[in-house]
């Protein structure tokens, strides 16, 4: 699990760059077409949520609370990406962000069960 969290953190950094560039391009396109679209801003918010979730998840990969905080940021980003309906790629990034968030929630639950089992083994129960 710890290695997977580190890999997801690294992937999140790469995804941040891609999402941010796409969102900037959409913002420029909306400005040139004189649309009042907000999908560019939503994409930037999603990108930062993915980045923060990845950094927290990788830095606190041994912590249950760190997993929960990372999951909250990933799921917040997924919510932002799902609500915004500007460009189709934003929905794909929202689904990826939700998948990462679900993984971090599952890892927090599994960590809790493993700690309880190791505590019982240490006590000799």
């Amino acid at each position: 699990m710890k290695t997977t969290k580190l890999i997801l953190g690294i992937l999140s950094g790469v995804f941040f760059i891609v999402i941010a560039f796409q969102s900037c391009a959409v913002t420029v396109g909306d400005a040139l077409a004189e649309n009042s679209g907000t999908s560019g801003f939503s994409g930037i918010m999603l990108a930062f949520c993915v980045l923060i979730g990845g950094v927290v998840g990788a830095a606190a990969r041994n912590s249950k609370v760190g997993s929960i905080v990372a999951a909250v940021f990933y799921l917040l980003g997924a919510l932002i990406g799902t609500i915004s309906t500007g460009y189709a790629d934003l929905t794909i990034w929202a689904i990826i962000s939700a998948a990462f968030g679900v993984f971090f929630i599952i890892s927090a639950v599994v960590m809790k069960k493993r700690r309880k089992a190791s505590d019982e083994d240490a006590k000799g129960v």
Side-chain angles (χ1 to χ4, degrees), residues 74-88:
Y74 280 125
L75 294 175
L76 178 66
L79 179 68
I80 291 170
T82 305
I83 290 173
S84 177
T85 57
Y87 61 102

Side-chain angles (χ1 to χ4, degrees), residues 2 8 15 19 25 33-36 52 74 81 83-85 88 110:
K2 294 178 191 176
L8 290 180
F15 289 163
I19 297 168
E34 295 181 3
N35 292 339
S36 60
I52 293 169
Y74 280 125
I83 290 173
S84 177
T85 57
V110 169

Side-chain angles (χ1 to χ4, degrees), residues 63-99:
S63 169
K64 177 184 165 189
V65 175
S67 294
I68 293 171
V69 170
V72 166
F73 275 105
Y74 280 125
L75 294 175
L76 178 66
L79 179 68
I80 291 170
T82 305
I83 290 173
S84 177
T85 57
Y87 61 102
D89 288 351
L90 196 59
T91 306
I92 295 169
W93 293 120
I95 291 169
I96 291 172
S97 181

Side-chain angles (χ1 to χ4, degrees), residues 15-26:
F15 289 163
F16 165 75
I17 294 169
V18 174
I19 297 168
F21 279 138
Q22 282 183 341
S23 299
C24 288
V26 168

